[in-house]
Amino acid sequence: MQNLPQSTDFEQAYEQFQQRYPEYTTTHSLDELRASEYARLDAQGMVYLDYTGGGLYAESQIQKHMALLKANVFGNPHSSNPSSMFSTHRVEEAREAVLKHFNASPDEYVVIFTSNASGALKLVGESFPFSAQSHYLLTFDNHNSVNGIREFARARGAQVTYIPICLPELRVDESEVDSYLDLIQPGGYNLFAFPAQSNFSGVQHPLEWIEKAHAKGWTVLLDAAAFVPSNNLNLSLWKPDFVPVSFYKMFGYPTGVGCLIARKSALEMLRRPWFAGGTITVASVQGDKYYLAPGEAAFEEGTPNYLDLPAITIGLEYLNSVGMDLIHERVRCLTGWLLEQLVELHDNLGHAGVRIYGPTNTERRGGTITLNFYDGNDQMIDHRAVEQRTNLANISIRTGCFCNPGAGEVALEISQPELITCFAQPTERLTLDDFRVCIHGKNSGAVRISVGIASNFADVYRFMQYVKQLFGRPLD
Ligand SMILES: Cc1ncc(COP(=O)(O)O)c(C=O)c1O
Protein backbone atom coordinates (compact mmCIF):
# COMPACT_ATOMS: atom_id res chain seq x y z
CA MET A 1 0.00 0.00 0.00
CA GLN A 2 1.47 3.34 -1.04
CA ASN A 3 1.81 6.69 0.65
CA LEU A 4 0.09 5.90 3.89
CA PRO A 5 1.27 7.29 7.23
CA GLN A 6 3.74 4.95 8.93
CA SER A 7 2.83 5.23 12.63
CA THR A 8 1.85 2.10 14.54
CA ASP A 9 -1.36 3.87 15.60
CA PHE A 10 -2.28 4.33 12.00
CA GLU A 11 -1.40 0.74 11.18
CA GLN A 12 -3.53 -0.52 14.04
CA ALA A 13 -6.46 1.64 12.98
CA TYR A 14 -6.06 0.43 9.39
CA GLU A 15 -5.99 -3.17 10.56
CA GLN A 16 -9.17 -2.68 12.58
CA PHE A 17 -10.84 -0.88 9.70
CA GLN A 18 -10.09 -3.78 7.35
CA GLN A 19 -11.48 -6.26 9.86
CA ARG A 20 -14.63 -4.19 10.19
CA TYR A 21 -14.92 -3.65 6.42
CA PRO A 22 -13.35 -6.76 4.81
CA GLU A 23 -14.86 -5.77 1.42
CA TYR A 24 -12.39 -2.85 1.33
CA THR A 25 -9.61 -5.25 0.32
CA THR A 26 -11.47 -5.95 -2.92
CA THR A 27 -10.94 -2.29 -3.87
CA HIS A 28 -7.13 -2.24 -3.61
CA SER A 29 -6.76 -1.55 -7.33
CA LEU A 30 -7.91 1.96 -6.38
CA ASP A 31 -4.79 2.34 -4.20
CA GLU A 32 -2.70 1.68 -7.29
CA LEU A 33 -4.66 4.33 -9.17
CA ARG A 34 -4.20 6.71 -6.25
CA ALA A 35 -0.44 6.33 -6.72
CA SER A 36 -0.40 6.47 -10.52
CA GLU A 37 -3.38 8.64 -11.53
CA TYR A 38 -3.84 10.89 -8.52
CA ALA A 39 -0.23 11.19 -7.33
CA ARG A 40 -0.67 14.95 -7.01
CA LEU A 41 -2.74 14.44 -3.86
CA ASP A 42 0.07 12.79 -1.92
CA ALA A 43 2.74 14.96 -3.58
CA GLN A 44 0.94 17.96 -2.06
CA GLY A 45 0.08 16.19 1.18
CA MET A 46 -3.54 17.09 0.46
CA VAL A 47 -6.54 15.34 1.98
CA TYR A 48 -9.34 15.92 -0.50
CA LEU A 49 -12.81 15.43 0.98
CA ASP A 50 -15.08 17.41 -1.32
CA TYR A 51 -16.14 14.92 -3.99
CA THR A 52 -19.72 16.15 -3.79
CA GLY A 53 -18.38 19.56 -4.74
CA GLY A 54 -16.21 18.21 -7.56
CA GLY A 55 -14.67 14.88 -8.56
CA LEU A 56 -10.97 14.44 -9.31
CA TYR A 57 -9.59 13.60 -12.75
CA ALA A 58 -7.06 10.87 -13.45
CA GLU A 59 -3.83 11.97 -15.14
CA SER A 60 -4.46 9.59 -18.02
CA GLN A 61 -7.74 11.37 -18.86
CA ILE A 62 -5.82 14.60 -19.43
CA GLN A 63 -3.08 12.88 -21.41
CA LYS A 64 -5.56 11.13 -23.69
CA HIS A 65 -7.51 14.30 -24.26
CA MET A 66 -4.39 16.36 -24.99
CA ALA A 67 -3.10 13.67 -27.38
CA LEU A 68 -6.42 13.77 -29.27
CA LEU A 69 -6.34 17.56 -29.52
CA LYS A 70 -2.68 17.57 -30.61
CA ALA A 71 -3.12 14.96 -33.32
CA ASN A 72 -6.31 16.21 -34.96
CA VAL A 73 -7.92 19.21 -36.60
CA PHE A 74 -11.24 20.05 -34.96
CA GLY A 75 -13.56 22.38 -36.86
CA ASN A 76 -16.91 23.87 -35.86
CA PRO A 77 -19.35 20.97 -36.19
CA HIS A 78 -22.08 23.02 -37.89
CA SER A 79 -20.61 22.24 -41.34
CA SER A 80 -19.69 19.31 -43.55
CA ASN A 81 -15.98 19.90 -44.18
CA PRO A 82 -13.54 17.21 -42.95
CA SER A 83 -12.49 19.05 -39.77
CA SER A 84 -16.14 19.75 -39.01
CA MET A 85 -17.15 16.14 -39.61
CA PHE A 86 -14.32 14.99 -37.36
CA SER A 87 -15.74 17.11 -34.53
CA THR A 88 -19.30 15.97 -35.26
CA HIS A 89 -18.23 12.34 -34.95
CA ARG A 90 -16.47 12.99 -31.63
CA VAL A 91 -19.59 14.78 -30.29
CA GLU A 92 -21.82 11.89 -31.39
CA GLU A 93 -19.38 9.42 -29.82
CA ALA A 94 -19.71 11.29 -26.52
CA ARG A 95 -23.50 11.14 -26.79
CA GLU A 96 -23.37 7.38 -27.37
CA ALA A 97 -20.92 6.93 -24.48
CA VAL A 98 -23.32 8.69 -22.10
CA LEU A 99 -26.27 6.53 -23.18
CA LYS A 100 -24.14 3.40 -22.84
CA HIS A 101 -22.82 4.37 -19.40
CA PHE A 102 -26.35 4.79 -18.08
CA ASN A 103 -27.63 1.74 -19.96
CA ALA A 104 -30.18 3.96 -21.72
CA SER A 105 -31.65 2.75 -24.98
CA PRO A 106 -31.20 5.25 -27.85
CA ASP A 107 -34.75 4.35 -28.85
CA GLU A 108 -35.98 5.69 -25.55
CA TYR A 109 -33.55 8.41 -24.37
CA VAL A 110 -31.61 11.31 -25.86
CA VAL A 111 -28.63 13.17 -24.45
CA ILE A 112 -28.64 16.96 -24.61
CA PHE A 113 -25.28 18.49 -23.79
CA THR A 114 -25.35 21.53 -21.52
CA SER A 115 -22.75 23.46 -19.56
CA ASN A 116 -23.62 21.74 -16.25
CA ALA A 117 -26.49 20.13 -14.32
CA SER A 118 -27.98 23.57 -13.64
CA GLY A 119 -28.04 24.26 -17.39
CA ALA A 120 -29.91 20.97 -17.87
CA LEU A 121 -32.40 21.92 -15.14
CA LYS A 122 -32.98 25.34 -16.68
CA LEU A 123 -33.80 23.72 -20.01
CA VAL A 124 -36.53 21.70 -18.30
CA GLY A 125 -37.81 24.64 -16.24
CA GLU A 126 -38.10 27.11 -19.09
CA SER A 127 -39.58 24.56 -21.52
CA PHE A 128 -41.97 22.58 -19.32
CA PRO A 129 -45.57 23.45 -20.28
CA PHE A 130 -46.57 24.69 -16.82
CA SER A 131 -50.00 26.34 -16.71
CA ALA A 132 -52.70 27.15 -14.16
CA GLN A 133 -53.66 23.47 -14.48
CA SER A 134 -50.19 22.28 -13.45
CA HIS A 135 -48.47 21.26 -10.25
CA TYR A 136 -44.74 21.36 -9.51
CA LEU A 137 -44.06 18.94 -6.65
CA LEU A 138 -40.59 18.68 -5.14
CA THR A 139 -38.86 17.53 -1.99
CA PHE A 140 -37.50 19.99 0.61
CA ASP A 141 -34.20 18.23 -0.04
CA ASN A 142 -33.18 19.66 -3.42
CA HIS A 143 -30.39 21.69 -4.94
CA ASN A 144 -31.23 25.33 -5.64
CA SER A 145 -31.16 24.67 -9.37
CA VAL A 146 -34.17 22.36 -8.85
CA ASN A 147 -35.79 24.82 -6.41
CA GLY A 148 -35.38 27.55 -9.01
CA ILE A 149 -37.72 25.77 -11.44
CA ARG A 150 -40.55 26.86 -9.11
CA GLU A 151 -40.14 30.40 -10.48
CA PHE A 152 -40.90 29.20 -14.03
CA ALA A 153 -43.84 27.19 -12.65
CA ARG A 154 -45.31 30.08 -10.66
CA ALA A 155 -44.87 32.57 -13.49
CA ARG A 156 -47.24 30.40 -15.51
CA GLY A 157 -49.75 29.99 -12.71
CA ALA A 158 -48.81 26.48 -11.60
CA GLN A 159 -49.13 25.37 -8.00
CA VAL A 160 -45.89 24.57 -6.17
CA THR A 161 -45.75 22.10 -3.28
CA TYR A 162 -42.80 20.92 -1.21
CA ILE A 163 -42.75 17.46 0.38
CA PRO A 164 -41.16 17.82 3.84
CA ILE A 165 -38.23 15.79 5.12
CA CYS A 166 -37.93 14.73 8.75
CA LEU A 167 -35.22 14.69 11.37
CA PRO A 168 -33.05 12.90 12.26
CA GLU A 169 -32.39 11.12 8.95
CA LEU A 170 -33.66 13.94 6.72
CA ARG A 171 -35.79 11.53 4.72
CA VAL A 172 -39.34 11.91 3.45
CA ASP A 173 -41.98 10.12 5.52
CA GLU A 174 -42.77 7.29 3.10
CA SER A 175 -46.34 7.01 4.34
CA GLU A 176 -47.01 10.53 3.04
CA VAL A 177 -45.66 10.17 -0.49
CA ASP A 178 -48.89 8.83 -1.99
CA SER A 179 -50.99 11.67 -0.63
CA TYR A 180 -48.57 14.22 -2.13
CA LEU A 181 -48.63 12.42 -5.48
CA ASP A 182 -52.44 12.58 -5.32
CA LEU A 183 -52.14 16.38 -5.64
CA ILE A 184 -51.71 15.91 -9.39
CA GLN A 185 -53.83 18.34 -11.40
CA PRO A 186 -55.88 16.33 -13.87
CA GLY A 187 -55.74 17.61 -17.44
CA GLY A 188 -52.52 19.62 -16.91
CA TYR A 189 -48.80 18.95 -17.09
CA ASN A 190 -47.39 17.99 -13.69
CA LEU A 191 -43.74 17.72 -12.72
CA PHE A 192 -42.28 15.87 -9.71
CA ALA A 193 -38.59 16.49 -8.87
CA PHE A 194 -36.31 14.85 -6.33
CA PRO A 195 -32.61 14.04 -6.01
CA ALA A 196 -31.39 10.44 -6.31
CA GLN A 197 -28.88 11.44 -3.63
CA SER A 198 -28.90 14.50 -1.43
CA ASN A 199 -25.95 16.82 -1.82
CA PHE A 200 -26.60 17.87 1.80
CA SER A 201 -27.09 14.67 3.80
CA GLY A 202 -26.08 11.90 1.39
CA VAL A 203 -29.59 10.39 1.72
CA GLN A 204 -30.58 8.31 -1.28
CA HIS A 205 -34.27 8.83 -1.92
CA PRO A 206 -36.16 5.80 -3.25
CA LEU A 207 -35.96 5.38 -7.02
CA GLU A 208 -39.23 3.44 -6.69
CA TRP A 209 -40.93 6.86 -6.50
CA ILE A 210 -40.35 7.24 -10.25
CA GLU A 211 -42.86 4.56 -11.25
CA LYS A 212 -45.17 5.43 -8.37
CA ALA A 213 -45.35 8.99 -9.74
CA HIS A 214 -45.66 7.84 -13.34
CA ALA A 215 -48.58 5.62 -12.40
CA LYS A 216 -50.41 8.72 -11.16
CA GLY A 217 -49.56 10.73 -14.27
CA TRP A 218 -46.54 12.81 -13.17
CA THR A 219 -43.56 13.61 -15.33
CA VAL A 220 -40.47 12.85 -13.23
CA LEU A 221 -37.24 14.80 -12.94
CA LEU A 222 -34.54 12.82 -11.13
CA ASP A 223 -31.60 15.00 -10.15
CA ALA A 224 -28.71 12.55 -10.41
CA ALA A 225 -25.82 15.03 -10.06
CA ALA A 226 -24.72 13.86 -6.59
CA PHE A 227 -25.63 10.18 -7.12
CA VAL A 228 -23.81 9.19 -10.29
CA PRO A 229 -20.17 9.81 -9.22
CA SER A 230 -20.23 6.66 -7.07
CA ASN A 231 -23.45 4.82 -7.94
CA ASN A 232 -24.74 3.05 -11.01
CA LEU A 233 -27.84 4.61 -12.50
CA ASN A 234 -29.36 2.01 -14.80
CA LEU A 235 -31.87 3.68 -17.11
CA SER A 236 -33.07 0.35 -18.44
CA LEU A 237 -34.43 -0.33 -14.93
CA TRP A 238 -35.42 3.15 -13.78
CA LYS A 239 -37.22 5.39 -16.24
CA PRO A 240 -37.22 9.01 -15.08
CA ASP A 241 -38.19 11.52 -17.75
CA PHE A 242 -35.40 14.03 -17.13
CA VAL A 243 -31.98 13.39 -15.60
CA PRO A 244 -29.52 16.27 -15.15
CA VAL A 245 -25.82 15.45 -14.68
CA SER A 246 -22.54 17.41 -14.33
CA PHE A 247 -19.54 15.48 -15.64
CA TYR A 248 -16.89 17.16 -13.48
CA LYS A 249 -18.64 15.61 -10.47
CA MET A 250 -18.23 12.14 -12.01
CA PHE A 251 -14.63 12.26 -13.21
CA GLY A 252 -13.25 15.72 -12.54
CA TYR A 253 -12.45 16.87 -16.05
CA PRO A 254 -13.56 18.85 -17.90
CA THR A 255 -15.62 21.42 -16.04
CA GLY A 256 -18.24 23.25 -18.08
CA VAL A 257 -19.95 20.16 -19.53
CA GLY A 258 -23.11 18.50 -18.29
CA CYS A 259 -26.13 16.95 -19.88
CA LEU A 260 -29.83 16.42 -19.70
CA ILE A 261 -30.74 12.80 -20.37
CA ALA A 262 -34.34 13.01 -21.51
CA ARG A 263 -36.93 10.44 -22.42
CA LYS A 264 -38.00 11.03 -26.01
CA SER A 265 -41.68 10.94 -25.07
CA ALA A 266 -41.12 13.62 -22.39
CA LEU A 267 -39.01 15.78 -24.68
CA GLU A 268 -41.96 16.06 -27.03
CA MET A 269 -44.02 17.81 -24.37
CA LEU A 270 -41.43 20.59 -23.87
CA ARG A 271 -41.96 24.00 -25.52
CA ARG A 272 -38.84 25.97 -26.30
CA PRO A 273 -39.22 29.64 -25.35
CA TRP A 274 -36.83 30.82 -28.07
CA PHE A 275 -34.54 29.63 -30.83
CA ALA A 276 -30.83 30.01 -31.27
CA GLY A 277 -28.07 29.02 -33.63
CA GLY A 278 -27.97 25.25 -33.93
CA THR A 279 -31.54 24.68 -32.67
CA ILE A 280 -33.47 25.24 -35.91
CA THR A 281 -33.87 23.75 -39.36
CA VAL A 282 -34.88 27.10 -40.86
CA ALA A 283 -35.34 30.61 -39.44
CA SER A 284 -36.22 33.69 -41.44
CA VAL A 285 -36.03 37.41 -40.78
CA GLN A 286 -38.45 38.59 -43.45
CA GLY A 287 -40.62 35.50 -43.22
CA ASP A 288 -40.60 35.99 -39.41
CA LYS A 289 -40.80 32.26 -38.73
CA TYR A 290 -38.58 29.44 -37.55
CA TYR A 291 -38.75 25.68 -37.34
CA LEU A 292 -37.03 23.86 -34.49
CA ALA A 293 -34.71 20.99 -35.30
CA PRO A 294 -35.94 17.57 -34.16
CA GLY A 295 -34.79 15.84 -30.96
CA GLU A 296 -31.85 17.02 -28.88
CA ALA A 297 -30.72 19.55 -31.48
CA ALA A 298 -33.59 21.90 -30.53
CA PHE A 299 -32.05 22.18 -27.06
CA GLU A 300 -28.34 22.54 -27.76
CA GLU A 301 -27.95 26.27 -28.14
CA GLY A 302 -25.11 27.61 -30.25
CA THR A 303 -21.88 25.80 -30.99
CA PRO A 304 -21.45 22.68 -28.86
CA ASN A 305 -18.37 22.44 -26.66
CA TYR A 306 -16.73 20.31 -29.33
CA LEU A 307 -13.21 20.39 -27.91
CA ASP A 308 -14.24 19.25 -24.45
CA LEU A 309 -16.90 16.72 -25.44
CA PRO A 310 -14.35 14.06 -26.48
CA ALA A 311 -13.08 14.22 -22.89
CA ILE A 312 -16.51 12.96 -21.77
CA THR A 313 -16.01 9.77 -23.78
CA ILE A 314 -12.54 9.43 -22.24
CA GLY A 315 -13.83 10.11 -18.71
CA LEU A 316 -16.64 7.57 -19.00
CA GLU A 317 -14.28 4.96 -20.45
CA TYR A 318 -11.99 5.58 -17.51
CA LEU A 319 -14.79 5.20 -14.93
CA ASN A 320 -15.95 2.00 -16.58
CA SER A 321 -12.43 0.58 -16.69
CA VAL A 322 -12.18 1.21 -12.94
CA GLY A 323 -15.70 -0.15 -12.33
CA MET A 324 -18.56 1.75 -10.75
CA ASP A 325 -19.23 -1.11 -8.31
CA LEU A 326 -15.66 -0.88 -7.02
CA ILE A 327 -15.92 2.88 -6.51
CA HIS A 328 -19.25 2.39 -4.78
CA GLU A 329 -17.81 -0.25 -2.44
CA ARG A 330 -14.82 1.88 -1.44
CA VAL A 331 -17.05 4.89 -0.80
CA ARG A 332 -19.37 2.74 1.31
CA CYS A 333 -16.54 1.35 3.48
CA LEU A 334 -14.89 4.73 4.08
CA THR A 335 -18.24 6.42 4.79
CA GLY A 336 -19.20 3.67 7.22
CA TRP A 337 -15.93 4.02 9.14
CA LEU A 338 -16.21 7.81 9.28
CA LEU A 339 -19.77 7.64 10.58
CA GLU A 340 -18.84 5.11 13.25
CA GLN A 341 -15.83 7.13 14.36
CA LEU A 342 -17.82 10.36 14.54
CA VAL A 343 -20.64 8.74 16.51
CA GLU A 344 -18.15 7.07 18.88
CA LEU A 345 -16.31 10.34 19.43
CA HIS A 346 -19.60 12.09 20.14
CA ASP A 347 -20.59 9.41 22.65
CA ASN A 348 -17.21 9.72 24.41
CA LEU A 349 -17.08 13.48 24.53
CA GLY A 350 -19.53 14.19 27.31
CA HIS A 351 -20.52 17.85 26.93
CA ALA A 352 -19.09 18.68 23.53
CA GLY A 353 -20.17 16.85 20.46
CA VAL A 354 -20.61 16.10 16.82
CA ARG A 355 -24.05 16.36 15.29
CA ILE A 356 -24.52 14.49 12.03
CA TYR A 357 -27.39 15.63 9.82
CA GLY A 358 -28.71 12.51 8.14
CA PRO A 359 -28.33 8.76 8.50
CA THR A 360 -25.52 7.53 10.75
CA ASN A 361 -25.13 4.18 9.02
CA THR A 362 -24.54 3.26 5.37
CA GLU A 363 -28.12 2.15 4.65
CA ARG A 364 -29.65 4.01 1.66
CA ARG A 365 -27.07 6.76 1.73
CA GLY A 366 -23.99 7.79 -0.22
CA GLY A 367 -20.57 9.13 0.71
CA THR A 368 -21.58 12.66 1.81
CA ILE A 369 -21.63 13.46 5.52
CA THR A 370 -22.79 16.82 6.85
CA LEU A 371 -22.29 17.78 10.47
CA ASN A 372 -21.55 20.48 13.00
CA PHE A 373 -19.24 20.42 15.98
CA TYR A 374 -20.25 21.66 19.44
CA ASP A 375 -17.90 22.88 22.15
CA GLY A 376 -18.03 22.00 25.86
CA ASN A 377 -20.71 24.69 26.46
CA ASP A 378 -22.93 23.10 23.83
CA GLN A 379 -22.24 26.03 21.49
CA MET A 380 -21.94 25.23 17.81
CA ILE A 381 -18.42 25.80 16.49
CA ASP A 382 -18.90 28.07 13.48
CA HIS A 383 -18.38 26.13 10.26
CA ARG A 384 -16.21 28.96 8.92
CA ALA A 385 -13.83 28.54 11.87
CA VAL A 386 -13.73 24.80 11.23
CA GLU A 387 -12.82 25.38 7.59
CA GLN A 388 -10.07 27.84 8.52
CA ARG A 389 -8.50 25.15 10.68
CA THR A 390 -8.88 22.34 8.15
CA ASN A 391 -7.28 24.67 5.58
CA LEU A 392 -4.22 24.91 7.80
CA ALA A 393 -4.10 21.11 7.93
CA ASN A 394 -4.27 20.98 4.09
CA ILE A 395 -7.64 19.22 4.25
CA SER A 396 -10.19 20.25 1.61
CA ILE A 397 -13.74 20.11 2.95
CA ARG A 398 -16.87 22.09 2.16
CA THR A 399 -18.76 24.35 4.54
CA GLY A 400 -21.88 26.50 4.21
CA CYS A 401 -25.35 25.40 3.11
CA PHE A 402 -24.34 23.69 -0.16
CA CYS A 403 -27.08 25.32 -2.28
CA ASN A 404 -29.65 23.10 -0.56
CA PRO A 405 -31.62 25.46 1.69
CA GLY A 406 -34.54 23.08 2.29
CA ALA A 407 -32.41 20.34 3.85
CA GLY A 408 -30.37 22.97 5.71
CA GLU A 409 -33.43 24.64 7.23
CA VAL A 410 -34.75 21.31 8.52
CA ALA A 411 -31.33 20.13 9.74
CA LEU A 412 -30.60 23.39 11.55
CA GLU A 413 -34.18 23.70 12.79
CA ILE A 414 -34.84 27.11 11.29
CA SER A 415 -38.61 27.45 11.26
CA GLN A 416 -40.95 28.82 8.60
CA PRO A 417 -42.12 31.77 10.81
CA GLU A 418 -38.49 32.78 11.39
CA LEU A 419 -37.77 32.66 7.67
CA ILE A 420 -40.94 34.54 6.75
CA THR A 421 -39.96 37.30 9.21
CA CYS A 422 -36.49 37.55 7.66
CA PHE A 423 -37.78 37.72 4.11
CA ALA A 424 -40.45 40.29 5.05
CA GLN A 425 -37.77 42.87 5.86
CA PRO A 426 -38.06 46.05 3.79
CA THR A 427 -34.77 45.57 2.03
CA GLU A 428 -33.96 45.15 -1.61
CA ARG A 429 -31.59 42.27 -1.02
CA LEU A 430 -30.71 40.20 2.03
CA THR A 431 -27.00 39.39 2.13
CA LEU A 432 -25.85 36.16 3.73
CA ASP A 433 -24.54 38.20 6.67
CA ASP A 434 -27.89 40.01 7.08
CA PHE A 435 -29.55 36.62 6.98
CA ARG A 436 -27.26 35.29 9.69
CA VAL A 437 -28.11 38.26 11.89
CA CYS A 438 -31.80 37.77 11.19
CA ILE A 439 -31.83 34.17 12.40
CA HIS A 440 -29.47 35.10 15.23
CA GLY A 441 -28.64 32.43 17.70
CA LYS A 442 -28.82 29.88 14.89
CA ASN A 443 -26.12 28.83 12.54
CA SER A 444 -27.03 28.84 8.87
CA GLY A 445 -24.41 26.38 7.72
CA ALA A 446 -22.57 23.17 8.38
CA VAL A 447 -19.47 21.18 7.53
CA ARG A 448 -19.60 18.69 4.68
CA ILE A 449 -17.14 15.91 3.98
CA SER A 450 -17.44 13.58 1.03
CA VAL A 451 -15.39 10.70 -0.32
CA GLY A 452 -14.93 9.44 -3.86
CA ILE A 453 -12.92 7.60 -6.42
CA ALA A 454 -9.43 8.55 -5.16
CA SER A 455 -10.17 8.46 -1.42
CA ASN A 456 -8.24 6.07 0.80
CA PHE A 457 -8.15 5.13 4.46
CA ALA A 458 -5.33 7.59 5.17
CA ASP A 459 -7.58 10.49 4.08
CA VAL A 460 -10.40 9.66 6.45
CA TYR A 461 -7.92 8.77 9.23
CA ARG A 462 -6.26 12.18 8.90
CA PHE A 463 -9.63 13.88 9.01
CA MET A 464 -10.53 12.05 12.21
CA GLN A 465 -7.15 12.98 13.74
CA TYR A 466 -8.00 16.59 12.95
CA VAL A 467 -11.43 16.26 14.59
CA LYS A 468 -9.91 14.76 17.72
CA GLN A 469 -7.45 17.64 17.91
CA LEU A 470 -10.35 20.07 17.59
CA PHE A 471 -11.73 18.66 20.81
CA GLY A 472 -8.33 18.50 22.49
CA ARG A 473 -8.63 14.75 22.62
CA PRO A 474 -5.58 12.54 22.83
CA LEU A 475 -4.87 11.12 19.40
CA ASP A 476 -4.77 7.33 18.88
C1 LIG B 1 -27.70 17.32 -6.35
C2 LIG B 1 -27.15 18.44 -7.20
N1 LIG B 1 -27.91 18.93 -8.19
C3 LIG B 1 -27.48 19.92 -8.99
C4 LIG B 1 -26.24 20.47 -8.81
C5 LIG B 1 -25.80 21.58 -9.72
O1 LIG B 1 -24.66 21.21 -10.39
P1 LIG B 1 -23.84 22.33 -11.20
O2 LIG B 1 -23.40 23.33 -10.17
O3 LIG B 1 -22.70 21.56 -11.78
O4 LIG B 1 -24.74 22.90 -12.20
C6 LIG B 1 -25.42 20.01 -7.78
C7 LIG B 1 -24.11 20.62 -7.52
O5 LIG B 1 -23.55 20.55 -6.46
C8 LIG B 1 -25.88 18.96 -6.97
O6 LIG B 1 -25.14 18.45 -5.98
Side-chain angles (χ1 to χ4, degrees):
M1 198 172 45
Q2 289 98 358
N3 291 315
L4 295 181
Q6 291 303 307
S7 76
T8 36
D9 291 336
F10 170 79
E11 278 158 20
Q12 262 174 17
Y14 187 50
E15 196 58 46
Q16 282 166 6
F17 163 71
Q18 284 180 302
Q19 277 165 18
R20 176 83 183 86
Y21 291 96
E23 304 83 5
Y24 188 78
T25 50
T26 64
T27 71
H28 277 330
S29 56
L30 286 169
D31 290 318
E32 283 153 32
L33 293 181
R34 168 75 177 239
S36 57
E37 296 281 13
Y38 306 94
R40 60 192 186 280
L41 282 171
D42 293 316
Q44 293 190 9
M46 160 89 63
V47 172
Y48 185 82
L49 293 173
D50 189 20
Y51 287 85
T52 303
L56 295 183
Y57 53 81
E59 261 178 61
S60 62
Q61 285 172 244
I62 309 298
Q63 280 153 1
K64 282 189 182 154
H65 188 214
M66 288 307 133
L68 192 74
L69 295 180
K70 276 163 110 172
N72 295 286
V73 181
F74 285 78
N76 186 312
H78 290 156
S79 190
S80 65
N81 65 58
S83 59
S84 174
M85 290 311 290
F86 183 79
S87 299
T88 301
H89 288 142
R90 302 291 80 72
V91 170
E92 293 318 311
E93 245 168 37
R95 227 185 279 286
E96 281 163 30
V98 175
L99 287 174
K100 192 162 160 239
H101 179 82
F102 292 107
N103 211 358
S105 160
D107 296 332
E108 199 172 6
Y109 282 97
V110 296
V111 171
I112 299 164
F113 287 116
T114 59
S115 50
N116 46 33
S118 301
L121 288 159
K122 183 159 181 259
L123 281 182
V124 177
E126 69 187 9
S127 309
F128 195 80
F130 288 118
S131 71
Q133 283 75 49
S134 299
H135 212 129
Y136 180 39
L137 178 68
L138 66 168
T139 45
F140 260 56
D141 182 10
N142 259 311
H143 189 274
N144 262 339
S145 302
V146 179
N147 288 325
I149 292 178
R150 74 184 186 208
E151 301 305 316
F152 288 116
R154 284 206 183 112
R156 291 186 219 132
Q159 257 181 278
V160 177
T161 301
Y162 275 101
I163 309 182
I165 51 171
C166 314
L167 285 167
E169 291 220 338
L170 300 179
R171 294 188 198 275
V172 167
D173 178 347
E174 273 293 310
S175 66
E176 291 188 344
V177 173
D178 273 316
S179 57
Y180 278 100
L181 291 174
D182 286 340
L183 294 174
I184 190 160
Q185 294 254 48
Y189 290 97
N190 297 273
L191 184 64
F192 171 44
F194 70 97
Q197 180 171 316
S198 170
N199 70 325
F200 186 95
S201 62
V203 160
Q204 293 180 341
H205 296 287
L207 297 178
E208 286 77 10
W209 288 351
I210 300 167
E211 279 324 301
K212 219 176 224 252
H214 276 161
K216 294 191 192 259
W218 294 85
T219 299
V220 178
L221 188 164
L222 180 75
D223 180 1
F227 182 79
V228 290
S230 50
N231 296 278
N232 259 319
L233 178 62
N234 184 342
L235 293 179
S236 73
L237 284 179
W238 310 105
K239 309 272 184 183
D241 298 285
F242 302 115
V243 184
V245 165
S246 269
F247 291 110
Y248 69 88
K249 289 201 194 285
M250 297 179 75
F251 40 79
Y253 174 86
T255 50
V257 190
C259 76
L260 176 66
I261 309 170
R263 244 172 130 177
K264 284 183 174 172
S265 51
L267 206 62
E268 278 164 20
M269 96 182 43
L270 298 186
R271 306 277 173 266
R272 302 293 291 126
W274 76 314
F275 65 92
T279 66
I280 40 107
T281 53
V282 180
S284 164
V285 170
Q286 296 185 76
D288 197 17
K289 270 213 117 189
Y290 68 93
Y291 297 98
L292 283 175
E296 72 270 355
F299 294 84
E300 289 182 349
E301 297 161 356
T303 302
N305 189 348
Y306 61 91
L307 291 185
D308 277 340
L309 283 170
I312 303 307
T313 315
I314 294 168
L316 289 172
E317 274 167 5
Y318 174 76
L319 275 193
N320 289 313
S321 71
V322 175
M324 288 305 296
D325 291 341
L326 210 70
I327 300 166
H328 178 86
E329 195 54 40
R330 174 160 285 226
V331 163
R332 187 188 69 81
C333 295
L334 295 175
T335 306
W337 186 82
L338 271 171
L339 288 167
E340 282 164 5
Q341 293 290 307
L342 289 163
V343 169
E344 188 185 313
L345 180 69
H346 176 82
D347 292 346
N348 289 339
L349 275 172
H351 292 301
V354 182
R355 178 155 181 216
I356 296 172
Y357 305 115
T360 50
N361 60 40
T362 54
E363 296 287 305
R364 296 180 292 139
R365 64 122 65 236
T368 303
I369 304 174
T370 291
L371 46 85
N372 268 312
F373 298 113
Y374 287 78
D375 66 18
N377 299 319
D378 209 21
Q379 289 297 308
M380 193 185 284
I381 304 173
D382 193 295
H383 58 88
R384 290 165 295 180
V386 174
E387 187 167 3
Q388 272 168 14
R389 290 175 67 165
T390 45
N391 292 349
L392 295 175
N394 206 13
I395 300 175
S396 290
I397 57 163
R398 185 68 167 263
T399 64
C401 63
F402 328 122
C403 289
N404 188 330
E409 287 161 18
V410 175
L412 297 160
E413 298 179 65
I414 306 170
S415 68
Q416 190 174 38
E418 280 173 297
L419 289 160
I420 289 174
T421 309
C422 284
F423 287 104
Q425 287 185 61
T427 169
E428 200 174 308
R429 178 174 295 132
L430 212 59
T431 65
L432 194 53
D433 283 336
D434 296 336
F435 182 65
R436 284 202 178 103
V437 172
C438 183
I439 54 164
H440 74 278
K442 293 194 174 176
N443 199 338
S444 66
V447 172
R448 184 178 77 185
I449 48 179
S450 49
V451 289
I453 188 167
S455 299
N456 65 15
F457 182 70
D459 292 331
V460 292
Y461 180 81
R462 260 180 70 187
F463 177 74
M464 281 311 301
Q465 295 293 97
Y466 158 80
V467 175
K468 287 176 184 170
Q469 270 170 345
L470 186 71
F471 289 110
R473 287 269 126 174
L475 303 178
D476 298 329

